[in-house]
Amino acid sequence: MEAAVQAAIRAGLAEPDPSDDLDGTDVAHKLRILSREAFGREPVFIDPDVRLESMTLVRPHRGRVLRLIGSLEMTSGSVQARIAIRRLASRHPLASVEGAGNGICVETCSGKRIFVRGLGAGPWPTAEAIMADVLELLRWTRAARSKGRATTQAVTPEVGS
């Protein structure tokens, strides 16, 4: 794990101190931005004091891919946020996000999934990628709402990095 982190730092894909990327802090910041833009409010982090498992302690299992996932869900007037290391099936859209990539997968109440991804290394590519994803999400939500098919309460974004 240490060798991979050092290689990412040398390639400019990780910060000199990558602890925010590894402990979920970076994902929490992205969830806050997404929640404000998609739902118009701050998220409530579920189990915010629970320490995330170390990526070095969680092992892939039977063809699954490990990803640090943040999710948002609108429930009874609040937005709940969760961050966890998850084993994703290789066919899950967030399983293909690698290197400097970030991805967002939005699932509507009808079960439709929308997936967008982009580069996310460093502050400017990250901000650009997040805002592009949010704008795409808002465009889709507005179009669906105008056709009577969705509301902002019907979207559940997940962020993977």
Side-chain angles (χ1 to χ4, degrees), residues 119-136:
L119 290 178
W124 290 113
T126 299
E128 179 183 3
I130 289 174
M131 289 312 298
D133 294 347
V134 167
L135 292 173
E136 180 66 24

Side-chain angles (χ1 to χ4, degrees), residues 22-123:
L22 298 174
D23 72 5
T25 301
D26 187 53
V27 174
H29 292 309
K30 292 173 185 175
L31 288 176
R32 282 187 180 93
I33 293 168
L34 284 170
S35 182
R36 288 181 202 133
E37 293 299 322
F39 301 111
R41 60 187 69 187
E42 290 290 320
V44 175
F45 284 85
I46 306 302
D47 299 326
D49 296 327
V50 175
R51 296 257 320 145
L52 293 173
E53 300 166 288
S54 167
M55 289 287 271
T56 59
L57 300 177
V58 180
R59 302 280 183 233
H61 182 67
R62 296 187 183 171
R64 294 191 173 256
V65 179
L66 292 178
R67 293 292 180 262
L68 185 58
I69 301 292
S71 63
L72 295 172
E73 184 177 0
M74 179 68 111
T75 59
S76 303
S78 72
V79 179
Q80 293 184 351
R82 289 183 176 81
I83 301 171
I85 296 170
R86 294 190 15 208
R87 291 180 180 98
L88 302 176
S90 59
R91 67 184 177 279
H92 190 287
L94 294 176
S96 65
V97 176
E98 295 181 343
N102 282 307
I104 182 170
C105 183
V106 178
E107 186 171 334
T108 67
C109 59
S110 65
K112 181 177 180 172
R113 281 189 177 178
I114 300 165
F115 178 67
V116 183
R117 70 171 145 197
L119 290 178

Side-chain angles (χ1 to χ4, degrees), residues 9-26:
I9 291 170
R10 283 192 302 277
L13 301 177
E15 302 294 328
D17 177 4
S19 56
D20 284 354
D21 291 324
L22 298 174
D23 72 5
T25 301
D26 187 53

Side-chain angles (χ1 to χ4, degrees), residues 1-14:
M1 177 74 161
E2 181 63 28
V5 169
Q6 291 305 317
I9 291 170
R10 283 192 302 277
L13 301 177

